[in-house]
Amino acid sequence: MSDDFRICGFAQHEIELLRAGGGDRALGRLRLALERADKLERGGAQESARAEAAYEVGQAYDGLGDDANAERWLASALAVPAYRAGERWPHHCPSLALRCLWRGDFARAEPLARECVEHARTGRRTDQDALVLALLTHAEALIGAGRHAEAVDALNEGLRLARASEWIRKFRGGYELSALMHLGRAHT
């Protein structure tokens, strides 16, 4: 591509996904993820890098609605302690917790959401809203698991933190509404 017609990195990535998938972005994501995983496997990459690639393959299969393959690849990634100790895991953990929540798998969602809270409390996640979002996700998993009193505690803490944060009030106003809705569910 000529320097006269530069396009942003996001657009270049989207074009790459579309090309790899013959016009289907989700299929392109899967093909590229499988290619990367295979390359790392053949190249003898570190176990944590291979696990990261397996996670991406699992997410790509999930995007195509192939739950069986998604579960297989995600499980192989999660079985690697070095991956879960690595710097990218705290950013992947919330997505996986939400994936379990959306599928109604509260038994798997709750420990992942609890781990997200721990990541935020210990500083592995430094986003301004990391703890509030983790508390809300954990509370939702607790409600689904029938542990309403614990959910109320998490929601009250999340609500208190959200109301005390100028940044959250300015950029994430929906958190308070979400917390109040879940609080209502937990009390009923």
Side-chain angles (χ1 to χ4, degrees):
M1 182 161 292
S2 154
D3 285 339
D4 295 337
F5 300 104
R6 290 184 174 211
I7 51 178
C8 73
F10 176 79
Q12 287 177 346
H13 179 68
E14 290 298 307
I15 291 168
E16 182 181 12
L17 293 175
L18 289 169
R19 282 185 182 151
D24 183 336
R25 184 186 182 287
L27 181 59
R29 179 181 180 199
L30 175 62
R31 287 178 178 165
L32 291 175
L34 284 167
E35 183 181 298
R36 180 172 180 264
D38 183 56
K39 182 179 178 181
L40 290 173
E41 185 69 35
R42 284 185 286 113
Q46 289 184 335
E47 188 179 35
S48 60
R50 291 192 319 265
E52 173 79 27
Y55 176 86
E56 293 302 329
V57 171
Q59 290 291 84
Y61 271 121
D62 189 46
L64 287 171
D66 186 342
D67 289 340
N69 276 315
E71 286 296 326
R72 185 171 60 86
W73 282 88
L74 292 171
S76 70
L78 295 177
V80 178
Y83 169 63
R84 292 185 75 147
E87 66 183 52
R88 302 239 330 142
W89 172 243
H91 300 277
H92 291 302
C93 189
S95 296
L96 201 52
L98 288 171
R99 179 182 186 273
C100 293
L101 270 178
W102 293 332
R103 285 169 171 67
D105 190 350
F106 304 112
R108 285 180 58 204
E110 191 279 326
L112 288 166
R114 184 175 1 103
E115 188 175 346
C116 293
V117 172
E118 190 60 30
H119 291 158
R121 290 194 195 283
T122 61
R124 286 190 74 192
R125 281 296 297 256
T126 57
D127 324 29
Q128 292 189 37
D129 60 345
L131 182 54
V132 172
L133 185 56
L135 286 165
L136 297 181
T137 303
H138 190 218
E140 193 172 348
L142 289 166
I143 291 168
R147 295 163 54 188
H148 299 99
E150 292 174 74
V152 168
D153 291 341
L155 288 164
N156 282 332
E157 181 182 359
L159 197 52
R160 182 182 52 77
L161 292 171
R163 287 176 173 163
S165 168
E166 181 67 33
W167 187 88
I168 289 176
R169 285 197 331 267
K170 184 174 182 179
F171 297 107
R172 302 286 192 265
Y175 285 2
E176 185 175 353
L177 178 60
S178 180
L180 290 170
M181 287 174 43
H182 291 308
L183 200 53
R185 285 181 53 217
H187 282 298
T188 58

